[in-house]
Amino acid sequence: MSLRAVARAVGVSQTAPYRHFPDRRALVGAVAAEGFRRLEVAMQRAMASNAGRIGFKDVARAYVAFGRANPALYRVMFGPEVADTHDLPELAATSTSALRFVQGGLEQLQAAGLVRAGDASVMATITWASLHGLVSIILDGHSSATREDELLEAITQLVMFGLAPRAPATLPTA
């Protein structure tokens, strides 16, 4: 993707993008930031329908559905060109906000006693990594469409019950 190709695609002069973006990286960062905004909105809508574990599962579904529906955008969002966001503050903010949304959901589940206590930011990153991995294998063609629901179910079950509060250990009696 070049700024000139983008200009041609949207029907503006080849120099027009330079009025808004100093270089290709800035443009890609802006596209990725918009992707993270859209992803967070999709997850928020999913969480608004249900609460608790069902709501969290709906967020996972929304994440995967977003990736499937927007494969090129998803790849830009997580591409190597924008992995370092030190000079892309908008992208840093939107990607962090989307991850913090997941973290907030986990914190709500912790408060309700539905997942164990612990560092919700670590739990959110683990959840995000699992969902990202699933979207990646789907987009790369390593999973059949018939298995997607099964795999999403397995991920949400592993995350939810792997994070479930542990029952106190009982000591054997003599």
Side-chain angles (χ1 to χ4, degrees):
M1 177 173 65
S2 69
L3 288 179
R4 288 179 181 195
V6 169
R8 276 192 305 274
V10 297
V12 298
S13 75
Q14 291 185 9
T15 59
Y18 290 99
R19 287 186 219 128
H20 303 284
F21 304 101
D23 56 25
R24 172 189 154 80
R25 178 171 162 72
L27 171 63
V28 172
V31 169
E34 178 60 23
F36 279 107
R37 274 192 287 281
R38 290 174 49 195
L39 173 60
E40 186 171 354
V41 166
M43 292 187 301
Q44 288 170 344
R45 286 184 180 146
M47 189 69 150
S49 302
N50 292 299
R53 287 182 174 157
I54 293 172
F56 196 72
K57 191 175 194 176
D58 289 345
V59 167
R61 276 194 188 100
Y63 183 103
V64 172
F66 177 87
R68 286 192 92 251
N70 304 284
L73 178 58
Y74 189 85
R75 290 185 195 279
V76 167
M77 292 163 58
F78 292 99
E81 189 167 359
V82 293
D84 178 2
T85 60
H86 78 279
D87 62 335
L88 300 170
E90 180 187 17
L91 175 56
T94 57
S95 61
T96 299
S97 179
L99 181 58
R100 285 203 178 127
F101 175 78
V102 175
Q103 179 180 336
L106 285 165
E107 288 167 348
Q108 290 175 5
L109 292 172
Q110 285 175 323
L114 297 174
V115 298
R116 71 174 140 193
D119 187 336
S121 68
V122 170
M123 293 175 183
T125 301
I126 290 166
T127 301
W128 191 280
S130 298
L131 295 172
H132 179 73
L134 177 58
V135 172
S136 294
I137 65 170
I138 290 168
L139 295 182
D140 291 343
H142 298 294
S143 175
S144 67
T146 57
R147 296 225 29 194
E148 289 175 25
D149 285 337
E150 177 187 351
L151 293 171
L152 180 59
E153 179 70 24
I155 286 173
T156 56
Q157 291 294 317
L158 286 170
V159 168
M160 294 303 262
F161 295 107
L163 296 177
R166 291 191 174 143
T170 56
L171 298 173
T173 56

